[in-house]
Amino acid sequence: MSPRPAREASGTTPARGTVFRESMLGTLRLDEEDRTRPLRLDLTVSADRVMRLTGTTDARATGRIRIAGWADDPDAQGELEISPLARRRIRYRIAFTADGRRVTLDGWKSVTPRSPVASMTVLPYTLYEDGVPIGTGTLRFPLTTQLVPFLASFRFPRRENPGALLAPRWQGERGRTEVWYTTLTDPATGSGLWLHHELTAPADGSEPYAHGWAAVFPKDGPVRHARFGPAPWTAAEAGFRAGGITVEPGRLTGEADGGTLRWKLTERPMAEPLFTFPRWSWRRPLLPAAQLLPAARALYDGTFTYDGATLRLTAAPGASARIYGHGNARRWAWLHADLGGGDVLEIVAAVSMRPGLRRLPPLVFLRLRRGGRTWPRRSERAAVGWAGAGRFRAAIGLPTWTVTGRTGLRRIRVEVTQPADRILALDYTDPDGAHAICRNSERADAHVLLERWWFGGWRTEREWTLDGTAHAEVGTR
């Protein structure tokens, strides 16, 4: 066997970062027009360290920008330079799509002690296209309605390095499986992609091997897939490498079926890691398996070629995930849903193979990342409730399966539909020699209803409907 030479330093305590939300209202006047347009900008800002008011903090920004009659982009992204005292400015550079054009909002708040409130709440800006100014405007932070939500949104989460979470976990034990998988949607064509990379260490002590597959789910046409491997396992410091297939921080490359399927993708993490199972279960593998996303959202660029056709991906939304454990569950369901505006829903519902656990209803691990905050606050809450009471419930089946649950003043209902003509069924072997079948759709539908208890009744807080852009799977052993 050839386990990786050393365990990554996952036991070290990550540094704290800063996350907050900000909304601003204002106007835009395009040079080609003689009128102004109302504009709203909603951002989630994330920095890799605790923000220092006396220094300069560089931060990432994602969110939604709406310009009346011209733009509504839920995937705006950019960066902030927060330096209110050292440089006396807070600079914003936000790129977004408007009427099919890629433009950038660039401006800064000029902080001055002579007018502290106005200088910290007024943002004059210029709009650029390909480096050429095309408009100007002003955004304002409305103190009366946004100050309290703004202050309440501040969080100082522990920071994780997404690249470090790609490092192999396997240490040479028998009966283990480890998975790196990526799912995404091409916004131009509506096609879904699935790349699955797996290490299997058989329980009988035979040599470990690497294998996997690639699949494309066109919007019009049949699902196309091809397997690669089995190939000898070669330990890598970060990611997966076997038979010319690679998964490493920021890059996925490979080919299958004699080169009929080929891919070369770059990955841009757009959010913090999301631990679907309890964080401790990844560091201390006491559960039958654990799953996480090194980044809750990511954008993909590059090419995916199949049967002579080439998808050219630009800012395709999706995510990569990791699994480590003893093998597949007895039954399971999985969902990854990019809800837009930086919001993400991840669900794993499973019935364990372990004696005693396999008689229980499916345990549900549900994580809703919304506005930079994750609900439920602890992943155990959805799976076990309070001493078994109040846990979330899953009804696993095809073509439709559901998850429902409540914690605190919120409750959720998720309905996932995997139409038969958008399903790919694949069988493979677990470390114990048993066969598993997964029925995957990278073009599933999903409806998510989030409600909040308010003055004696349940009211809709948010509702999302995904038509062919959800990623889902139902599996059995």
Side-chain angles (χ1 to χ4, degrees):
M1 295 185 181
S2 55
R4 64 185 178 88
R7 183 177 298 275
E8 76 275 15
S10 59
T12 59
T13 302
R16 294 281 177 176
T18 304
V19 177
F20 63 90
R21 300 172 65 188
E22 183 179 24
S23 295
M24 290 183 284
L25 306 174
T27 58
L28 165 68
R29 186 183 184 92
L30 296 170
D31 293 344
E32 61 193 34
E33 297 181 346
D34 59 358
R35 64 187 180 99
T36 59
R37 295 175 181 266
L39 184 151
R40 180 185 177 104
L41 179 63
D42 298 293
L43 293 177
T44 298
V45 181
S46 175
D48 290 332
R49 64 182 185 186
V50 175
M51 190 169 61
R52 299 182 304 169
L53 296 180
T54 58
T56 298
T57 303
D58 295 322
R60 298 175 298 277
T62 60
R64 182 178 184 182
I65 187 167
R66 284 168 278 189
I67 304 173
W70 196 54
D72 186 356
D73 188 351
D75 291 311
Q77 55 186 289
E79 61 272 345
L80 268 66
E81 178 195 283
I82 306 172
S83 187
L85 297 180
R87 298 180 180 177
R88 293 190 176 181
R89 71 178 188 184
I90 304 174
R91 185 172 185 176
Y92 295 71
R93 285 179 55 85
I94 309 297
F96 63 97
T97 300
D99 196 25
R101 303 156 65 179
R102 195 66 178 168
V103 296
T104 301
L105 183 154
D106 188 354
W108 58 85
K109 301 172 182 175
S110 299
V111 181
T112 171
R114 291 177 297 177
S115 182
V117 175
S119 64
M120 290 286 287
T121 58
V122 178
L123 172 65
Y125 67 87
T126 302
L127 203 64
Y128 293 89
E129 182 179 17
D130 297 327
V132 178
I134 62 170
T136 57
T138 302
L139 284 165
R140 289 178 171 82
F141 177 82
L143 285 171
T144 55
T145 59
Q146 291 297 321
L147 180 59
V148 172
F150 171 72
L151 295 176
S153 72
F154 271 82
R155 296 290 182 272
F156 303 96
R158 287 182 293 177
R159 315 306 289 180
E160 299 277 0
N161 180 357
L165 293 173
L166 287 176
R169 299 286 299 169
W170 185 61
Q171 291 291 293
E173 306 93 334
R174 296 182 179 185
R176 298 293 190 276
T177 184
E178 185 162 8
V179 178
W180 296 252
Y181 68 88
T182 299
T183 59
L184 59 102
T185 299
D186 177 19
T189 65
S191 299
L193 299 182
W194 180 24
L195 301 174
H196 180 103
H197 316 79
E198 183 168 335
L199 159 67
T200 300
D204 62 8
S206 55
E207 287 298 312
Y209 60 91
H211 69 109
W213 50 82
V216 57
F217 294 69
K219 188 172 184 178
D220 299 309
V223 179
R224 175 73 166 91
H225 83 283
R227 297 179 184 263
F228 54 83
W233 169 248
T234 302
E237 287 297 326
F240 175 98
R241 183 182 300 118
I245 313 293
T246 61
V247 178
E248 55 190 29
R251 193 166 71 100
L252 302 97
T253 59
E255 63 178 48
D257 195 19
T260 304
L261 273 70
R262 304 189 308 276
W263 58 94
K264 186 175 182 180
L265 304 175
T266 58
E267 180 181 67
R268 290 179 281 153
M270 299 301 295
E272 300 307 312
L274 183 63
F275 289 81
T276 316
F277 287 58
R279 185 186 296 261
W280 56 261
S281 69
W282 186 256
R283 304 183 187 283
R284 303 176 186 85
L286 302 177
L287 298 180
Q291 186 254 21
L292 65 83
L293 282 68
R297 293 183 70 243
L299 296 179
Y300 297 84
D301 304 287
T303 58
F304 187 98
T305 300
Y306 64 101
D307 300 333
T310 299
L311 294 176
R312 302 189 183 278
L313 306 171
T314 302
S320 290
R322 300 276 281 107
I323 300 173
Y324 182 68
H326 295 263
N328 286 289
R330 187 181 186 90
R331 291 188 296 133
W332 73 90
W334 161 79
L335 171 72
H336 175 79
D338 190 316
L339 304 174
D343 298 341
V344 172
L345 175 63
E346 189 81 10
I347 297 175
V348 175
V351 178
S352 174
M353 288 293 297
R354 288 187 177 178
L357 295 179
R358 57 188 171 198
R359 295 182 179 275
L360 296 176
L363 294 180
V364 176
F365 294 92
L366 180 148
R367 311 293 276 156
L368 174 62
R369 177 74 60 81
R370 178 170 170 247
R373 303 175 66 176
T374 303
W375 177 88
R377 187 173 180 181
R378 298 188 63 88
S379 59
E380 298 95 328
R381 177 62 183 83
V384 299
W386 297 105
R391 64 188 175 201
F392 287 28
R393 299 183 180 277
I396 300 176
L398 285 174
T400 299
W401 55 275
T402 60
V403 167
T404 57
R406 171 188 174 182
T407 177
L409 296 177
R410 288 184 173 89
R411 70 181 183 183
I412 194 169
R413 176 178 173 81
V414 183
E415 182 177 288
V416 181
T417 301
Q418 300 179 220
D421 59 344
R422 303 185 214 162
I423 286 179
L424 172 62
L426 289 174
D427 66 282
Y428 48 105
T429 304
D430 267 342
D432 61 2
H435 289 277
I437 299 178
C438 63
R439 297 167 178 86
N440 181 285
S441 176
E442 299 304 318
R443 294 197 61 252
D445 303 327
H447 180 257
V448 182
L449 177 63
L450 181 67
E451 296 177 300
R452 184 180 178 89
W453 182 262
W454 191 257
F455 292 112
W458 289 102
R459 298 186 181 182
T460 299
E461 184 173 1
R462 284 296 304 271
E463 189 170 7
W464 298 270
T465 299
L466 283 70
D467 183 8
T469 60
H471 310 281
E473 180 176 289
V474 171
T476 56
R477 289 231 311 184

